[in-house]
Amino acid sequence: MKGIVGKKVGMTQVFEAETGRLVPVTVIAAGPCPVVSVRTRDEHGYDAFQLAFDEVAERKLSRPELGHLKKNGVGPYRRLVEIRGPHELTPGETVTVEAFEPGEKVKVSGVSIGKGFQGTIKRHNFSRGPVSHGSHNVRAPGSIGASATPSRVFKGMRMAGHMGAKRVTQVGLTVVDRVPEENLLLLRGAVPGHRNATVIVREDSR
């Protein structure tokens, strides 16, 4: 399993060298991410590696956090991300954008943009009711359950509420290019999250 942590810079477009076709891409400033620790199936029950991202001053971290990082010779970093899967990394090693090749399929996880409190039409793609002959069911959600049985509303009913601002994974993205000198990854398509949002890029092994 290959993975790296980065920050979403924004979207732009590039031209394919062979066909000249215009390709929309998302630019991600990824890494370099030092490997803080590793998990093995024999010792911990699963395979994983922990990456550090976003270097900060020591005063911004607690002593337990600093101790965990220094144990493997890693400086102060704001974010720690564990990526599960078989790997061949060792503590202290650094993961860069060169781990990914152009044309490789990846999936990107991040926190989607928050939309605030929204109704069922926008949040769940409900249909609106009739708007003629005095109908008041214009954007109402409709029935949410029976009255006598079960005399309550089931959990998980699709209703109005807070939309967005939750973890989303976009699969099937393609690495268009990489710029190792500037630690940039160019991915074809859209990536969840706002600008400067932290995202996790992993290989898509489907």
Side-chain angles (χ1 to χ4, degrees), residues 73-118:
V74 179
Y77 284 81
R78 188 188 304 275
R79 302 187 185 279
L80 294 177
V81 175
E82 184 177 275
I83 299 176
R84 293 198 176 199
H87 62 90
E88 299 178 355
L89 298 172
T90 57
E93 192 176 344
T94 301
V95 178
T96 66
V97 295
E98 293 182 282
F100 296 91
E101 298 289 338
E104 190 174 355
K105 291 289 186 181
V106 295
K107 55 186 177 182
V108 180
S109 299
V111 178
S112 62
I113 296 174
K115 309 288 186 182
F117 190 97
Q118 300 297 334

Side-chain angles (χ1 to χ4, degrees), residues 36-157:
V36 180
S37 63
V38 297
R39 300 285 185 265
T40 59
R41 188 171 296 277
D42 296 335
E43 186 176 353
H44 304 93
Y46 67 100
D47 293 317
F49 56 96
Q50 189 182 64
L51 298 178
F53 178 69
D54 196 7
E55 198 168 1
V56 293
E58 280 195 16
R59 60 183 174 81
K60 295 191 175 182
L61 297 181
S62 65
R63 288 201 292 178
E65 290 171 328
L66 289 170
H68 175 67
L69 292 165
K70 287 180 178 178
K71 186 167 67 173
N72 292 299
V74 179
Y77 284 81
R78 188 188 304 275
R79 302 187 185 279
L80 294 177
V81 175
E82 184 177 275
I83 299 176
R84 293 198 176 199
H87 62 90
E88 299 178 355
L89 298 172
T90 57
E93 192 176 344
T94 301
V95 178
T96 66
V97 295
E98 293 182 282
F100 296 91
E101 298 289 338
E104 190 174 355
K105 291 289 186 181
V106 295
K107 55 186 177 182
V108 180
S109 299
V111 178
S112 62
I113 296 174
K115 309 288 186 182
F117 190 97
Q118 300 297 334
T120 53
I121 289 181
K122 180 170 182 176
R123 192 182 187 206
H124 299 297
N125 199 29
F126 278 21
S127 297
R128 60 186 296 171
V131 294
S132 61
H133 299 289
S135 171
H136 292 173
N137 181 20
V138 179
R139 294 178 72 90
S143 173
I144 59 173
S147 58
T149 304
S151 299
R152 64 186 178 89
V153 177
F154 287 124
K155 288 183 178 180
M157 290 294 296

